[in-house]
Every structure is written in structure tokens, then in C-alpha cells.
Amino acid sequence: MADVSLMANEYRQAPQDIEAEKAVFGAIFFDVKSDAAMVSAQAILEPKDFYRTAHQEIFKAMQSLVNDDRPIDVLTLQDKLNANQQLENVGGIAYLAELAESTASAANLKHYANIVHEKAVLRRLIETLTKNMSLAYDGGTDSTELLEEVSREVDQLAQNRGDDDLRRIQDVIKEFQENLDAAAENDSDIVGLATGYPELDKLTHGFREDQMIVIGARPAVGKTAFVLNVAKNAAKSEKVPVVIFSLEMGAVDLVTRLVAAEGSIDSNHLTTGQMEQDDWASMTVALQSLSNMKIYMDDTPGIRITQIAAKLRQLEKDLLANMSEEERDENPHPLGMVMIDYLGLIESGNTESRQQAVSEVSRSIKKLAKELHTPIIALAQLSRGVEQRTDKRPVLSDLRESGSIEQDADIVAFLYRDDYYRNEDGEDGPAGAPEPEQDSVPIDVILEKNRAGARGTATLMFNKPTFKFADRAPEYRAGGPENGPIPPANLNNSW
């Protein structure tokens, strides 16, 4: 039955509107005194958008006339088509005269052009689906690869619709003034989602919609713990939905870290079950707090960027479906923040090289942030080159396959801890004995790229047993005490 259906579809007429195609040419001929109509048409159409081959050749010839700074009329078009040896193929001078005599108005050209473009998009969609349907029937292609190919090609069609108008600066200025008025009414200088760390927010002004934020660090420095703290803070304080994609760590392990940070509980106690009396009470409060947050997790290993996009789009639809009409009008893009741990583990359909695969993933993440109007935080590993330098503070070139990531990201931040390298190098303390490891250590968040603000460094405190980040105590901001990091009790109180 399915085969019969496929055969029947072969005889269905492809989407087209020949009259609209003729009207486009009529409107261009009508505007014979200027090339404004042709310029408008080229902003929407390209030759392959026309269904008839003859119309494709005519539009190509019109484009050539514009490029040659020649007027478009029947005689000049006849001359150009003759030169291209296409005049007879398009129907000769008689057909050109027929198009020129159309009563189509230049004022309606955009309407005609949009019809032609819409039919062209539908034809390409049919072509894409038919091709992949044949591959599915053949059974020689892996279903996951085929689904990814379909998703990528359909996404490409959507991105290339070309139906976004150029915006007049007056309209953009109006939007700018509205944003400025909203910011002026805000008591703080944070215009995006607060991270929960004022020293960092002072540099970023919060993470904003459409932003791609890359957090890089060497393994075990604390980057996963850091973004989990940021995600938890956003879900708790801003009360927004937060999505966490973890390609390296299971969901239960993530929850362990979140409970440890929220309850200030030693994570070893949660892992081994050797809980102290105070731990149980703290855990109960932490679990209740986390249960009230809109946090969603996905720990699918080897997930593809197309799958991430599909899951986020579906979640956005589900969230909108549960909102009132008034809430949807006020907030049409309800996703608050997305976190991906980490960028290098996301699968891509590009198999040519690892660098090209990472570049494709990076570009896709940036596009997805713009589409969903939400900040996306992607973690990244640093190359071993940083270990070979005397100064081990990371720089942009330390990002693996850094070119595209550097370019696409709005913010690139690195985490750096002095104690990470002291312990690694086995340096001795002042008395010649190994320096005791501190539970609470300072950690620098170095903003190497900040498209919407200043570069700089925010120093936080990281409590390693609890995976908890907090602002430095006031004395640290003033220059720092000489007796070392603040004790864990102060760290907990500063949350």
C-alpha cells in the first residue's frame, strides 16, 4: 500500500504559481524608469525559485542587465538573451512582449515575489523529503543519520527563507529606547539573567537572551560545578526553566552536586551514605528547594546537536501550552537558560574533520540561542598547551578547535585556580612540608571575550567538598586577608 501511495505522489503537480511568476516580470517591466522593482525582487528571489526554466533564464538575464547598469525593457532583454543563446528557449520576442504587457503593478511586486518564493520552498521541501524517503525505503542508511540529515536540510530551508525585511533605523531606535526605558526602571545594572555572583554580574550585566556563553577550563578545575551553580541560581532566583544537557555525567551525579551545593553538604557524605546528623536536615531542605525549581536534565551520551535542538523546541512548545494567553503574549520564549556539558562531546553529521565538526556544532548552538531567545552556556575543554607555559592562566588560543568557538561565542570565560597547579606540581609549603589542601579556595572567572561588556576577572570562592561557589567575603574584595581563604562557615553564610 505504501508503494502505491509513493507512485501516486509522483503524478501530483509540484507547487507552483505561473501567474505570480508572470506578475513579477510584469511589475519589473512596469518600473522601466528605474531598477527599484528589480532590486526588490532580488531581495526575495533567485533564479531557481521560478518553476519554469524559461522564467529562470529571463530572471538571470534581468540580473545581468542590472549588473551592467542597463535598463530592463523588451529590447535590452532580447539582446541579453540573444547573447546568452536563450531567446528562442524562453519563447522568443513574442513571449517577452506578453510579459511586458502584463498589468501587474510594481507596488504589488513584493506580494507576487513572496508567492513565488513560497512555492519554491515547498518544492524544495518535497524534494528533500522524497530523497530521504527513498533512502529510508532502501534501508542502507542508519536511521539516526537519516533523521539528522532530514533535520539539517529542513532547518537549512527554514533559515534560507529570506522573508525578513530590512529594518529602518527609526524602528530599531524605537526598540532601543524601549530597552533603555526598561533598564532605567530597573534598580540594578543587570539586564539579563543574574548568575548569583555580583562581581561576575558587574562584568556581564547578566546572561542575556540570544547569547552563547563558553566556559573553558582544564579537567577537574570546577567548570561543571560552576555552571550547575549558575543554573541553580537562575532557576531559584529568577524562577525560569533551566535545561541541562550532560554528555559526560549522569543525571543522578548532577543531582548529587546540586544537593551538595544547595545544602552545603560534603558530597562524599552523599555518595557514601555516611551522613552526619546535620546532613540529614540540610538535605531535606535542599531537596525541597530543588524540587520547586524548573530544572530539566538530559544525560543522553553522544547526543547530536539536532537532537538537542529538537528537544528544546519541544520543551518550549510544552511550556507555552501550559501558559495562559496573556503569559504567552508577554513571554513567547519561556526557556530561561540552557547548559551543555560539554561542547566537544556533541556529535555532528560532519565527518570530514574534528575541527569542522566542532565548528558546525558551535554555529548551531549560536543559531539555537537566537532562535529560542535564551542564553546557552557551553562548556569547553582546554588544550594541554596551557600546561607547558610558565603562566598557566588560560587565553583564547587554549580552546580546542578555537577558531569557530571564539567567533561564535558572545562571552568566553575561563576558570583558573592557583591551588590546582600548586597541588599538581607538588610544591612544598614554607616549612618544607607539602602544603595542606584547602577546602575553600579562590577561583578566577576570567572574561577573555565579552561582546556586550568589558573584559575582566571576577574572583569567587569554591568550596570543593560541597561543589559550592560563592562571592568573596568583603575583606577579599578590599585586597584580601593575609591569613588565606575564608573558612567554610563564612562561605556558607555568604550564599
Side-chain angles (χ1 to χ4, degrees), residues 4 7 27 37 72 103-104 122 168-169 171 197-198 216 251 269 279 289 298 350 352 415 428 450 455 487:
V4 174
M7 292 177 60
I72 297 175
T103 58
L122 291 175
R168 297 168 67 246
I169 191 171
D171 297 330
Y197 309 111
H269 298 177
D279 292 339
S289 176
D298 187 300
N350 193 316
E352 293 182 25
L415 302 186
D428 290 343
N450 187 10
R455 294 168 58 204

Side-chain angles (χ1 to χ4, degrees), residues 131-350:
K131 178 192 72 175
N132 287 289
M133 188 183 297
S134 298
L135 291 174
Y137 268 93
D138 291 342
T141 305
D142 179 76
S143 62
T144 301
E145 293 180 8
L146 189 57
L147 285 169
E148 181 179 351
E149 182 64 22
V150 172
S151 178
R152 182 166 56 246
E153 291 184 5
V154 171
D155 283 347
Q156 190 67 32
L157 285 175
Q159 292 163 9
N160 294 337
R161 285 183 60 84
D163 52 4
D164 291 334
D165 290 334
L166 293 172
R167 302 181 66 188
R168 297 168 67 246
I169 191 171
Q170 291 89 341
D171 297 330
V172 181
I173 286 174
K174 180 180 179 182
E175 184 176 339
F176 160 78
Q177 289 176 323
E178 291 173 352
N179 292 341
L180 182 59
D181 290 342
E185 294 175 3
N186 191 359
D187 293 335
S188 73
D189 60 355
I190 300 173
V191 294
L193 284 176
T195 65
Y197 309 111
E199 192 172 344
L200 179 58
D201 289 332
K202 186 175 181 180
L203 292 172
T204 64
H205 305 299
F207 292 154
R208 273 161 277 183
E209 62 177 34
D210 301 359
Q211 282 188 330
M212 174 183 174
I213 301 111
V214 173
I215 307 293
R218 290 293 292 150
V221 168
K223 59 183 179 296
T224 300
F226 172 68
V227 293
L228 281 175
N229 275 259
V230 170
K232 178 174 68 67
N233 292 349
K236 184 177 183 178
S237 302
E238 307 282 349
K239 297 185 178 1
V240 295
V242 173
V243 187
I244 301 171
F245 289 94
S246 178
L247 286 77
E248 192 173 39
M249 190 179 297
V252 174
D253 291 328
L254 293 178
V255 168
T256 300
R257 293 193 173 200
L258 287 168
V259 172
E262 180 68 6
S264 299
I265 306 168
D266 190 320
S267 60
N268 290 319
H269 298 177
L270 294 171
T271 302
T272 63
Q274 296 178 3
M275 303 278 281
E276 297 179 358
Q277 188 65 36
D278 291 344
D279 292 339
W280 292 106
S282 298
M283 187 187 71
T284 301
V285 174
L287 289 175
Q288 183 61 48
S289 176
L290 289 167
S291 297
N292 291 328
M293 300 180 197
K294 298 176 182 177
I295 297 179
Y296 302 84
M297 296 180 177
D298 187 300
D299 59 0
T300 305
I303 194 170
R304 297 173 183 270
I305 187 61
T306 50
Q307 293 174 302
I308 290 175
K311 290 184 178 187
L312 290 174
R313 290 174 186 135
Q314 184 59 52
L315 177 58
E316 183 182 62
K317 289 180 183 177
D318 293 342
L319 291 171
L320 288 170
N322 291 322
M323 295 164 60
S324 67
E325 185 174 349
E326 184 178 347
E327 289 173 329
R328 287 194 294 269
D329 290 340
E330 186 176 336
N331 184 19
H333 300 284
L335 286 178
M337 180 184 290
V338 177
M339 166 192 148
I340 302 174
D341 183 12
Y342 64 93
L343 192 149
L345 292 179
I346 300 175
E347 294 289 339
S348 165
N350 193 316

Side-chain angles (χ1 to χ4, degrees), residues 40 56 69 79 108 128 153 163 169 178 182 227 303 324 328 349 383 422 426 448 450 463 466:
S40 297
Q56 294 176 11
D69 200 22
D79 181 61
N108 296 324
T128 295
E153 291 184 5
D163 52 4
I169 191 171
E178 291 173 352
V227 293
I303 194 170
S324 67
R328 287 194 294 269
S383 66
R422 282 202 304 272
E448 275 292 298
N450 187 10
N463 186 271
T466 65

Side-chain angles (χ1 to χ4, degrees), residues 55 190 210 273 310 346 393 397 483:
H55 290 171
I190 300 173
D210 301 359
I346 300 175
R393 297 175 73 84
S397 58
N483 297 326

Side-chain angles (χ1 to χ4, degrees), residues 372-433:
L372 299 174
H373 295 275
T374 187
I376 298 182
I377 304 174
L379 303 192
Q381 293 278 23
L382 301 185
S383 66
R384 288 193 178 93
V386 67
E387 313 290 354
Q388 313 304 320
R389 299 196 304 265
T390 303
D391 181 2
K392 293 179 169 53
R393 297 175 73 84
V395 294
L396 286 174
S397 58
D398 291 322
L399 281 171
R400 289 179 179 171
E401 297 95 9
S402 64
S404 180
I405 299 174
E406 263 181 64
Q407 179 179 333
D408 297 330
D410 298 282
I411 293 175
V412 178
F414 299 114
L415 302 186
Y416 172 80
R417 282 170 34 203
D418 272 332
D419 73 297
Y420 178 86
Y421 292 102
R422 282 202 304 272
N423 293 336
E424 184 183 79
D425 296 339
E427 293 181 1
D428 290 343

